Amino acid sequence: MNRRPTTVAEYLRTQIALSGRSQRDIAREMGYENPNIITMFKQGHTKVPPAAVESLARAIGADPAHLLRLVLGEYEPKLLALIDRLLTPCTVIT
């Protein structure tokens, strides 16, 4: 079965539903006054700022590293490729 990669919006919809938390509580925990930002993230109308990934992941009980990879992979794939390339340990041949 060929399944396309999960989008950030799809992932957030699922994780928020699984968290059992209200969008208002999630938004407040992230420092946003208006819970509509969470709706906009879930619908894919607004990109999740990379700086907000950790607080969002923690608010919904998700893995921050996984969410960051999804965010970068969808919004900044060249940056993610560069990070992967530079941070992958080099094999030293002796």
Side-chain angles (χ1 to χ4, degrees), residues 38-59:
I38 307 302
T39 299
M40 293 165 56
F41 292 156
K42 286 176 28 179
Q43 293 175 346
H45 295 304
T46 298
K47 293 179 180 180
V48 176
V53 165
E54 185 175 18
S55 63
L56 175 55
R58 299 218 186 278

Side-chain angles (χ1 to χ4, degrees), residues 50-81:
V53 165
E54 185 175 18
S55 63
L56 175 55
R58 299 218 186 278
I60 63 175
D63 176 18
H66 180 72
L67 181 55
L68 180 60
R69 288 191 68 76
L70 282 177
V71 165
L72 291 177
E74 185 171 327
Y75 308 153
E76 296 288 340
K78 289 181 181 178
L79 177 59
L80 180 58

Side-chain angles (χ1 to χ4, degrees), residues 3-88:
R3 176 151 160 60
R4 65 181 171 78
T6 300
T7 66
V8 172
E10 290 169 339
Y11 180 76
L12 290 177
R13 283 193 298 271
T14 299
Q15 290 302 124
I16 290 170
L18 290 172
S19 78
R21 301 199 61 208
S22 73
Q23 291 185 188
R24 181 174 306 283
D25 289 340
I26 294 166
R28 282 189 184 141
E29 188 171 327
M30 293 180 66
Y32 293 108
E33 290 184 26
N34 192 333
N36 289 345
I37 190 69
I38 307 302
T39 299
M40 293 165 56
F41 292 156
K42 286 176 28 179
Q43 293 175 346
H45 295 304
T46 298
K47 293 179 180 180
V48 176
V53 165
E54 185 175 18
S55 63
L56 175 55
R58 299 218 186 278
I60 63 175
D63 176 18
H66 180 72
L67 181 55
L68 180 60
R69 288 191 68 76
L70 282 177
V71 165
L72 291 177
E74 185 171 327
Y75 308 153
E76 296 288 340
K78 289 181 181 178
L79 177 59
L80 180 58
L82 174 65
I83 291 168
D84 283 343
R85 190 172 70 249
L86 294 178
L87 296 181
T88 300

